[in-house]
């Protein structure tokens, strides 16, 4: 995988998510998602599940945005790019949920195809805390 192209796509994805999570338009975010997108969120919480297709993934994004009352912010960090179509990104998150300021860290394992995001497997570094935060 071309590192520069992967970094560019992920930067655009995180910027579009940030705008959407703040209450902005969903069109820039939709444009970055592959038609066969799948998104996997583990755990036992309000946002956990397996989402397939752009509409299903966008509904998940909206649920996450609304659960955090539009305070959800992501802070991408280290990126691992290899030979295949997968890229890993360490991302810190923060939001105010139910009146509490919360922070967590995840690894997003993304699959990229045709210049778009085709999949994401979210891996919380502290699954129990992630479930409590997003309960």
């Amino acid at each position: 995988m071309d590192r520069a192209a992967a970094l560019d796509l992920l930067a655009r994805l995180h910027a579009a998510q940030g705008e959407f999570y703040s209450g902005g338009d969903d069109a820039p975010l939709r444009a970055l998602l592959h038609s066969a997108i799948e998104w996997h969120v583990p755990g036992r919480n309000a946002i956990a599940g397996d989402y397939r297709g752009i509409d299903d993934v966008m509904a998940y994004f909206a649920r996450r945005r609304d659960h955090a009352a539009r305070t959800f912010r992501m802070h991408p960090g280290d990126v691992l790019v290899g030979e295949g179509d997968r890229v890993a990104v360490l991302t810190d998150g923060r939001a105010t949920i139910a009146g509490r300021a919360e922070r967590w860290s995840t690894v997003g394992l993304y699959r990229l195809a045709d210049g778009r995001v085709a999949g994401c497997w979210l891996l919380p570094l502290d699954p129990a805390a992630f479930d409590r935060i997003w309960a």
Side-chain angles (χ1 to χ4, degrees), residues 4-135:
L7 292 174
D8 176 66
L9 177 56
L10 291 171
R12 289 184 290 128
L13 173 71
H14 289 130
Q17 283 179 307
E19 179 67 24
F20 178 74
Y21 291 142
S22 295
D25 186 25
D26 70 349
L29 184 51
R30 281 179 176 274
L32 297 172
L33 304 179
H34 192 277
S35 60
I37 183 83
E38 57 182 299
W39 207 279
H40 306 277
V41 182
R44 293 186 174 123
N45 58 68
I47 63 170
D50 296 311
Y51 307 95
R52 289 181 172 77
I54 292 175
D55 290 339
D56 201 27
V57 170
M58 289 303 301
Y60 153 70
F61 289 157
R63 186 168 42 261
R64 184 161 67 169
R65 176 197 62 202
D66 296 344
H67 192 77
R70 300 183 180 191
T71 65
F72 177 42
R73 301 295 178 267
M74 299 182 329
H75 305 281
D78 294 334
V79 177
L80 177 63
V81 178
E83 296 281 329
D85 62 355
R86 310 229 185 224
V87 178
V89 182
L90 179 62
T91 303
D92 294 330
R94 65 180 169 86
T96 301
I97 300 174
R100 290 187 321 261
E102 301 283 5
R103 293 178 163 255
W104 63 93
S105 295
T106 62
V107 172
L109 178 59
Y110 295 92
R111 185 172 63 81
L112 309 181
D114 303 324
R116 291 194 163 92
V117 177
C120 179
W121 290 260
L122 195 61
L123 308 167
L125 298 187
D126 184 340
F130 190 81
D131 278 345
R132 179 191 54 77
I133 290 166
W134 290 100

